[in-house]
Structure formats: C-alpha cells, structure tokens
mmCIF file of all heavy atoms in Angstrom:
data_model
loop_
_atom_site.group_PDB
_atom_site.id
_atom_site.type_symbol
_atom_site.label_atom_id
_atom_site.label_comp_id
_atom_site.label_asym_id
_atom_site.label_seq_id
_atom_site.Cartn_x
_atom_site.Cartn_y
_atom_site.Cartn_z
ATOM 1 N N ALA A 1 -10.397 6.208 8.288
ATOM 2 C CA ALA A 1 -11.780 6.401 7.668
ATOM 3 C C ALA A 1 -11.757 6.078 6.135
ATOM 4 O O ALA A 1 -12.604 5.443 5.637
ATOM 5 C CB ALA A 1 -12.272 7.717 7.895
ATOM 6 N N VAL A 2 -10.606 6.516 5.570
ATOM 7 C CA VAL A 2 -10.504 6.336 4.089
ATOM 8 C C VAL A 2 -10.312 4.885 3.714
ATOM 9 O O VAL A 2 -10.817 4.342 2.726
ATOM 10 C CB VAL A 2 -9.291 7.202 3.618
ATOM 11 C CG1 VAL A 2 -8.938 6.755 2.144
ATOM 12 C CG2 VAL A 2 -9.596 8.621 3.697
ATOM 13 N N GLY A 3 -9.484 4.058 4.517
ATOM 14 C CA GLY A 3 -9.104 2.699 4.140
ATOM 15 C C GLY A 3 -10.349 1.810 4.017
ATOM 16 O O GLY A 3 -10.575 1.185 2.921
ATOM 17 N N PRO A 4 -11.182 1.682 5.013
ATOM 18 C CA PRO A 4 -12.371 0.788 4.917
ATOM 19 C C PRO A 4 -13.307 1.212 3.770
ATOM 20 O O PRO A 4 -13.916 0.420 3.110
ATOM 21 C CB PRO A 4 -13.031 0.937 6.274
ATOM 22 C CG PRO A 4 -11.970 1.317 7.209
ATOM 23 C CD PRO A 4 -11.010 2.154 6.379
ATOM 24 N N LEU A 5 -13.314 2.479 3.536
ATOM 25 C CA LEU A 5 -14.316 3.078 2.539
ATOM 26 C C LEU A 5 -13.740 2.603 1.142
ATOM 27 O O LEU A 5 -14.479 2.135 0.263
ATOM 28 C CB LEU A 5 -14.409 4.543 2.526
ATOM 29 C CG LEU A 5 -15.364 5.296 1.664
ATOM 30 C CD1 LEU A 5 -16.798 4.815 1.961
ATOM 31 C CD2 LEU A 5 -15.278 6.757 1.764
ATOM 32 N N LEU A 6 -12.438 2.748 0.944
ATOM 33 C CA LEU A 6 -11.841 2.383 -0.370
ATOM 34 C C LEU A 6 -11.939 0.886 -0.569
ATOM 35 O O LEU A 6 -12.117 0.460 -1.742
ATOM 36 C CB LEU A 6 -10.395 2.744 -0.367
ATOM 37 C CG LEU A 6 -10.062 4.298 -0.658
ATOM 38 C CD1 LEU A 6 -8.493 4.508 -0.582
ATOM 39 C CD2 LEU A 6 -10.624 4.738 -1.994
ATOM 40 N N THR A 7 -11.774 0.188 0.411
ATOM 41 C CA THR A 7 -11.844 -1.304 0.368
ATOM 42 C C THR A 7 -13.127 -1.806 -0.139
ATOM 43 O O THR A 7 -13.248 -2.785 -0.948
ATOM 44 C CB THR A 7 -11.590 -1.979 1.834
ATOM 45 O OG1 THR A 7 -10.260 -1.539 2.187
ATOM 46 C CG2 THR A 7 -11.539 -3.488 1.739
ATOM 47 N N GLY A 8 -14.188 -1.199 0.289
ATOM 48 C CA GLY A 8 -15.587 -1.594 -0.294
ATOM 49 C C GLY A 8 -15.694 -1.422 -1.684
ATOM 50 O O GLY A 8 -16.243 -2.382 -2.420
ATOM 51 N N PHE A 9 -15.138 -0.356 -2.233
ATOM 52 C CA PHE A 9 -15.150 -0.229 -3.727
ATOM 53 C C PHE A 9 -14.204 -1.069 -4.433
ATOM 54 O O PHE A 9 -14.400 -1.701 -5.510
ATOM 55 C CB PHE A 9 -14.821 1.234 -4.082
ATOM 56 C CG PHE A 9 -15.884 2.234 -3.577
ATOM 57 C CD1 PHE A 9 -15.549 3.095 -2.565
ATOM 58 C CD2 PHE A 9 -17.160 2.257 -4.260
ATOM 59 C CE1 PHE A 9 -16.541 3.985 -2.125
ATOM 60 C CE2 PHE A 9 -18.201 3.136 -3.781
ATOM 61 C CZ PHE A 9 -17.818 4.031 -2.703
ATOM 62 N N VAL A 10 -12.936 -1.189 -3.848
ATOM 63 C CA VAL A 10 -11.920 -1.947 -4.597
ATOM 64 C C VAL A 10 -12.256 -3.470 -4.679
ATOM 65 O O VAL A 10 -12.070 -4.037 -5.567
ATOM 66 C CB VAL A 10 -10.520 -1.741 -3.937
ATOM 67 C CG1 VAL A 10 -9.401 -2.630 -4.528
ATOM 68 C CG2 VAL A 10 -10.094 -0.313 -4.025
ATOM 69 N N SER A 11 -12.779 -3.951 -3.401
ATOM 70 C CA SER A 11 -13.162 -5.363 -3.317
ATOM 71 C C SER A 11 -14.233 -5.777 -4.338
ATOM 72 O O SER A 11 -14.258 -6.790 -4.926
ATOM 73 C CB SER A 11 -13.442 -5.746 -1.960
ATOM 74 O OG SER A 11 -14.661 -5.096 -1.546
ATOM 75 N N GLN A 12 -15.122 -4.816 -4.498
ATOM 76 C CA GLN A 12 -16.320 -4.985 -5.386
ATOM 77 C C GLN A 12 -15.924 -5.020 -6.837
ATOM 78 O O GLN A 12 -16.441 -5.815 -7.595
ATOM 79 C CB GLN A 12 -17.464 -4.031 -5.095
ATOM 80 C CG GLN A 12 -18.652 -4.201 -5.910
ATOM 81 C CD GLN A 12 -19.828 -3.233 -5.533
ATOM 82 O OE1 GLN A 12 -19.611 -2.351 -4.657
ATOM 83 N NE2 GLN A 12 -20.884 -3.304 -6.254
ATOM 84 N N TRP A 13 -15.130 -3.999 -7.251
ATOM 85 C CA TRP A 13 -14.801 -3.790 -8.618
ATOM 86 C C TRP A 13 -13.452 -4.438 -9.192
ATOM 87 O O TRP A 13 -13.353 -4.678 -10.266
ATOM 88 C CB TRP A 13 -14.727 -2.305 -8.977
ATOM 89 C CG TRP A 13 -16.062 -1.637 -8.629
ATOM 90 C CD1 TRP A 13 -16.375 -0.806 -7.534
ATOM 91 C CD2 TRP A 13 -17.255 -1.776 -9.428
ATOM 92 N NE1 TRP A 13 -17.637 -0.414 -7.642
ATOM 93 C CE2 TRP A 13 -18.274 -0.919 -8.720
ATOM 94 C CE3 TRP A 13 -17.657 -2.442 -10.566
ATOM 95 C CZ2 TRP A 13 -19.585 -0.913 -9.165
ATOM 96 C CZ3 TRP A 13 -19.008 -2.377 -11.039
ATOM 97 C CH2 TRP A 13 -19.892 -1.640 -10.303
ATOM 98 N N ALA A 14 -12.477 -4.662 -8.246
ATOM 99 C CA ALA A 14 -11.231 -5.089 -8.703
ATOM 100 C C ALA A 14 -10.853 -6.440 -7.956
ATOM 101 O O ALA A 14 -9.766 -7.000 -8.353
ATOM 102 C CB ALA A 14 -10.155 -4.098 -8.485
ATOM 103 N N GLY A 15 -11.485 -6.852 -6.941
ATOM 104 C CA GLY A 15 -11.239 -8.109 -6.263
ATOM 105 C C GLY A 15 -10.316 -7.979 -5.049
ATOM 106 O O GLY A 15 -9.729 -6.870 -4.837
ATOM 107 N N TRP A 16 -10.265 -8.995 -4.229
ATOM 108 C CA TRP A 16 -9.539 -8.847 -2.956
ATOM 109 C C TRP A 16 -8.050 -8.876 -3.181
ATOM 110 O O TRP A 16 -7.339 -8.344 -2.277
ATOM 111 C CB TRP A 16 -9.971 -10.058 -2.048
ATOM 112 C CG TRP A 16 -11.294 -9.844 -1.328
ATOM 113 C CD1 TRP A 16 -12.424 -10.375 -1.709
ATOM 114 C CD2 TRP A 16 -11.438 -9.019 -0.260
ATOM 115 N NE1 TRP A 16 -13.476 -9.946 -0.811
ATOM 116 C CE2 TRP A 16 -12.936 -9.052 -0.008
ATOM 117 C CE3 TRP A 16 -10.713 -8.176 0.573
ATOM 118 C CZ2 TRP A 16 -13.405 -8.307 1.080
ATOM 119 C CZ3 TRP A 16 -11.188 -7.483 1.574
ATOM 120 C CH2 TRP A 16 -12.596 -7.503 1.872
ATOM 121 N N HIS A 17 -7.499 -9.444 -4.227
ATOM 122 C CA HIS A 17 -6.106 -9.326 -4.408
ATOM 123 C C HIS A 17 -5.630 -7.894 -4.552
ATOM 124 O O HIS A 17 -4.605 -7.547 -3.906
ATOM 125 C CB HIS A 17 -5.596 -10.079 -5.755
ATOM 126 C CG HIS A 17 -5.729 -11.596 -5.526
ATOM 127 N ND1 HIS A 17 -5.117 -12.257 -4.510
ATOM 128 C CD2 HIS A 17 -6.268 -12.524 -6.344
ATOM 129 C CE1 HIS A 17 -5.284 -13.501 -4.713
ATOM 130 N NE2 HIS A 17 -6.076 -13.760 -5.741
ATOM 131 N N ASN A 18 -6.395 -7.022 -5.212
ATOM 132 C CA ASN A 18 -6.081 -5.689 -5.341
ATOM 133 C C ASN A 18 -6.272 -4.930 -4.043
ATOM 134 O O ASN A 18 -5.513 -3.858 -3.821
ATOM 135 C CB ASN A 18 -6.914 -5.009 -6.445
ATOM 136 C CG ASN A 18 -6.489 -5.480 -7.851
ATOM 137 O OD1 ASN A 18 -5.429 -5.176 -8.238
ATOM 138 N ND2 ASN A 18 -7.432 -6.136 -8.530
ATOM 139 N N VAL A 19 -7.094 -5.357 -3.108
ATOM 140 C CA VAL A 19 -7.323 -4.726 -1.831
ATOM 141 C C VAL A 19 -5.882 -4.863 -1.083
ATOM 142 O O VAL A 19 -5.348 -3.953 -0.493
ATOM 143 C CB VAL A 19 -8.349 -5.360 -1.022
ATOM 144 C CG1 VAL A 19 -8.348 -4.899 0.443
ATOM 145 C CG2 VAL A 19 -9.712 -5.070 -1.629
ATOM 146 N N PHE A 20 -5.359 -6.094 -1.171
ATOM 147 C CA PHE A 20 -3.993 -6.367 -0.545
ATOM 148 C C PHE A 20 -2.871 -5.617 -1.174
ATOM 149 O O PHE A 20 -1.961 -5.140 -0.553
ATOM 150 C CB PHE A 20 -3.802 -7.810 -0.404
ATOM 151 C CG PHE A 20 -4.467 -8.556 0.743
ATOM 152 C CD1 PHE A 20 -5.766 -8.950 0.716
ATOM 153 C CD2 PHE A 20 -3.752 -8.714 1.945
ATOM 154 C CE1 PHE A 20 -6.384 -9.584 1.702
ATOM 155 C CE2 PHE A 20 -4.410 -9.293 2.967
ATOM 156 C CZ PHE A 20 -5.652 -9.754 2.900
ATOM 157 N N TYR A 21 -2.951 -5.358 -2.417
ATOM 158 C CA TYR A 21 -1.945 -4.543 -3.055
ATOM 159 C C TYR A 21 -1.990 -3.098 -2.641
ATOM 160 O O TYR A 21 -1.063 -2.411 -2.374
ATOM 161 C CB TYR A 21 -2.170 -4.609 -4.656
ATOM 162 C CG TYR A 21 -1.580 -5.917 -5.309
ATOM 163 C CD1 TYR A 21 -2.431 -6.588 -6.233
ATOM 164 C CD2 TYR A 21 -0.407 -6.478 -4.958
ATOM 165 C CE1 TYR A 21 -1.996 -7.759 -6.773
ATOM 166 C CE2 TYR A 21 0.089 -7.656 -5.590
ATOM 167 C CZ TYR A 21 -0.714 -8.290 -6.479
ATOM 168 O OH TYR A 21 -0.287 -9.408 -7.067
ATOM 169 N N MET A 22 -3.288 -2.683 -2.422
ATOM 170 C CA MET A 22 -3.543 -1.301 -1.834
ATOM 171 C C MET A 22 -2.924 -1.222 -0.434
ATOM 172 O O MET A 22 -2.312 -0.179 -0.131
ATOM 173 C CB MET A 22 -4.977 -1.062 -1.848
ATOM 174 C CG MET A 22 -5.377 0.291 -1.207
ATOM 175 S SD MET A 22 -7.194 0.631 -1.022
ATOM 176 C CE MET A 22 -7.430 -0.491 0.484
ATOM 177 N N LEU A 23 -3.071 -2.238 0.366
ATOM 178 C CA LEU A 23 -2.614 -2.220 1.714
ATOM 179 C C LEU A 23 -1.033 -2.252 1.682
ATOM 180 O O LEU A 23 -0.397 -1.565 2.560
ATOM 181 C CB LEU A 23 -3.073 -3.362 2.491
ATOM 182 C CG LEU A 23 -4.651 -3.418 2.732
ATOM 183 C CD1 LEU A 23 -5.062 -4.618 3.526
ATOM 184 C CD2 LEU A 23 -5.129 -2.159 3.304
ATOM 185 N N MET A 24 -0.537 -3.110 0.829
ATOM 186 C CA MET A 24 1.020 -3.065 0.780
ATOM 187 C C MET A 24 1.606 -1.744 0.262
ATOM 188 O O MET A 24 2.578 -1.318 0.824
ATOM 189 C CB MET A 24 1.469 -4.326 -0.173
ATOM 190 C CG MET A 24 1.303 -5.599 0.463
ATOM 191 S SD MET A 24 1.796 -7.021 -0.634
ATOM 192 C CE MET A 24 0.400 -7.209 -1.679
ATOM 193 N N PHE A 25 0.882 -1.198 -0.663
ATOM 194 C CA PHE A 25 1.308 0.162 -1.153
ATOM 195 C C PHE A 25 1.244 1.269 -0.093
ATOM 196 O O PHE A 25 2.127 2.109 0.103
ATOM 197 C CB PHE A 25 0.475 0.613 -2.370
ATOM 198 C CG PHE A 25 0.869 1.937 -2.977
ATOM 199 C CD1 PHE A 25 2.153 2.034 -3.609
ATOM 200 C CD2 PHE A 25 0.030 3.003 -2.890
ATOM 201 C CE1 PHE A 25 2.488 3.302 -4.172
ATOM 202 C CE2 PHE A 25 0.322 4.234 -3.449
ATOM 203 C CZ PHE A 25 1.632 4.381 -4.097
ATOM 204 N N ALA A 26 0.183 1.132 0.704
ATOM 205 C CA ALA A 26 -0.024 2.122 1.857
ATOM 206 C C ALA A 26 1.144 1.862 2.914
ATOM 207 O O ALA A 26 1.668 2.873 3.440
ATOM 208 C CB ALA A 26 -1.306 1.872 2.598
ATOM 209 N N ASN A 27 1.548 0.669 3.159
ATOM 210 C CA ASN A 27 2.619 0.415 4.186
ATOM 211 C C ASN A 27 3.947 0.916 3.597
ATOM 212 O O ASN A 27 4.740 1.493 4.317
ATOM 213 C CB ASN A 27 2.768 -1.067 4.340
ATOM 214 C CG ASN A 27 2.200 -1.504 5.652
ATOM 215 O OD1 ASN A 27 1.875 -0.709 6.509
ATOM 216 N ND2 ASN A 27 2.093 -2.769 5.879
ATOM 217 N N ALA A 28 4.110 0.821 2.257
ATOM 218 C CA ALA A 28 5.383 1.360 1.603
ATOM 219 C C ALA A 28 5.377 2.913 1.669
ATOM 220 O O ALA A 28 6.384 3.505 1.996
ATOM 221 C CB ALA A 28 5.363 0.950 0.103
ATOM 222 N N LEU A 29 4.178 3.517 1.545
ATOM 223 C CA LEU A 29 4.136 5.027 1.783
ATOM 224 C C LEU A 29 4.435 5.444 3.133
ATOM 225 O O LEU A 29 5.063 6.482 3.410
ATOM 226 C CB LEU A 29 2.799 5.478 1.281
ATOM 227 C CG LEU A 29 2.501 5.527 -0.276
ATOM 228 C CD1 LEU A 29 1.110 6.000 -0.545
ATOM 229 C CD2 LEU A 29 3.582 6.462 -0.956
ATOM 230 N N ALA A 30 3.924 4.652 4.134
ATOM 231 C CA ALA A 30 4.289 4.908 5.572
ATOM 232 C C ALA A 30 5.752 4.824 5.757
ATOM 233 O O ALA A 30 6.248 5.672 6.560
ATOM 234 C CB ALA A 30 3.539 3.884 6.409
ATOM 235 N N LEU A 31 6.435 3.880 5.062
ATOM 236 C CA LEU A 31 7.926 3.831 5.166
ATOM 237 C C LEU A 31 8.505 5.075 4.674
ATOM 238 O O LEU A 31 9.534 5.593 5.198
ATOM 239 C CB LEU A 31 8.351 2.539 4.447
ATOM 240 C CG LEU A 31 8.427 1.332 5.343
ATOM 241 C CD1 LEU A 31 8.721 0.122 4.312
ATOM 242 C CD2 LEU A 31 9.551 1.394 6.322
ATOM 243 N N VAL A 32 7.946 5.551 3.471
ATOM 244 C CA VAL A 32 8.639 6.647 2.757
ATOM 245 C C VAL A 32 8.628 7.910 3.710
ATOM 246 O O VAL A 32 9.578 8.635 3.877
ATOM 247 C CB VAL A 32 7.954 6.978 1.513
ATOM 248 C CG1 VAL A 32 8.369 8.332 0.914
ATOM 249 C CG2 VAL A 32 8.228 5.893 0.472
ATOM 250 N N PHE A 33 7.469 8.104 4.433
ATOM 251 C CA PHE A 33 7.383 9.378 5.201
ATOM 252 C C PHE A 33 8.208 9.271 6.484
ATOM 253 O O PHE A 33 8.566 10.197 7.050
ATOM 254 C CB PHE A 33 5.906 9.557 5.634
ATOM 255 C CG PHE A 33 5.065 10.191 4.610
ATOM 256 C CD1 PHE A 33 4.185 9.438 3.793
ATOM 257 C CD2 PHE A 33 5.205 11.488 4.282
ATOM 258 C CE1 PHE A 33 3.407 9.994 2.844
ATOM 259 C CE2 PHE A 33 4.426 12.067 3.256
ATOM 260 C CZ PHE A 33 3.589 11.317 2.552
ATOM 261 N N LEU A 34 8.653 8.097 6.892
ATOM 262 C CA LEU A 34 9.578 7.829 7.985
ATOM 263 C C LEU A 34 11.046 7.910 7.660
ATOM 264 O O LEU A 34 11.905 7.956 8.522
ATOM 265 C CB LEU A 34 9.213 6.506 8.733
ATOM 266 C CG LEU A 34 8.015 6.439 9.604
ATOM 267 C CD1 LEU A 34 7.916 5.112 10.192
ATOM 268 C CD2 LEU A 34 8.047 7.482 10.672
ATOM 269 N N SER A 35 11.316 7.930 6.307
ATOM 270 C CA SER A 35 12.683 7.804 5.902
ATOM 271 C C SER A 35 13.612 8.855 6.453
ATOM 272 O O SER A 35 14.712 8.528 6.816
ATOM 273 C CB SER A 35 12.704 7.789 4.333
ATOM 274 O OG SER A 35 12.231 9.055 3.837
ATOM 275 N N ARG A 36 13.277 10.100 6.511
ATOM 276 C CA ARG A 36 14.116 11.156 7.005
ATOM 277 C C ARG A 36 14.385 10.908 8.473
ATOM 278 O O ARG A 36 15.543 11.016 8.952
ATOM 279 C CB ARG A 36 13.479 12.443 6.804
ATOM 280 C CG ARG A 36 14.436 13.683 7.150
ATOM 281 C CD ARG A 36 13.808 15.045 6.860
ATOM 282 N NE ARG A 36 12.802 15.292 7.866
ATOM 283 C CZ ARG A 36 13.091 15.926 9.049
ATOM 284 N NH1 ARG A 36 14.330 16.184 9.335
ATOM 285 N NH2 ARG A 36 12.180 16.128 9.921
#
C-alpha cells in the first residue's frame, strides 16, 4: 500500500530516476532484514 502511494509523490516531484532509487533501496532493506 505504501509503495504505490509514495511513487505518485516521488515521480511527480523528483522524477522517475528517484523512484527506481527508492525501489533499489527498498530491496536493500529487504536483504538487511534477512541477513540473520
């Protein structure tokens, strides 16, 4: 629910490149929580 909502704001105010940076950062956080 949060991802598509954030994407609307980020794409409008910061551009689509930053949307993909957000997605890459989210994937990195998913990795961190799996590390243990």
Side-chain angles (χ1 to χ4, degrees):
V2 170
L5 186 64
L6 285 177
T7 300
F9 294 111
V10 175
S11 62
Q12 182 178 358
W13 299 107
W16 280 102
H17 285 309
N18 286 296
V19 170
F20 276 84
Y21 285 133
M22 178 188 78
L23 299 182
M24 288 183 274
F25 181 66
N27 258 349
L29 289 176
L31 271 171
V32 169
F33 281 106
L34 283 179
S35 57
R36 189 178 73 88

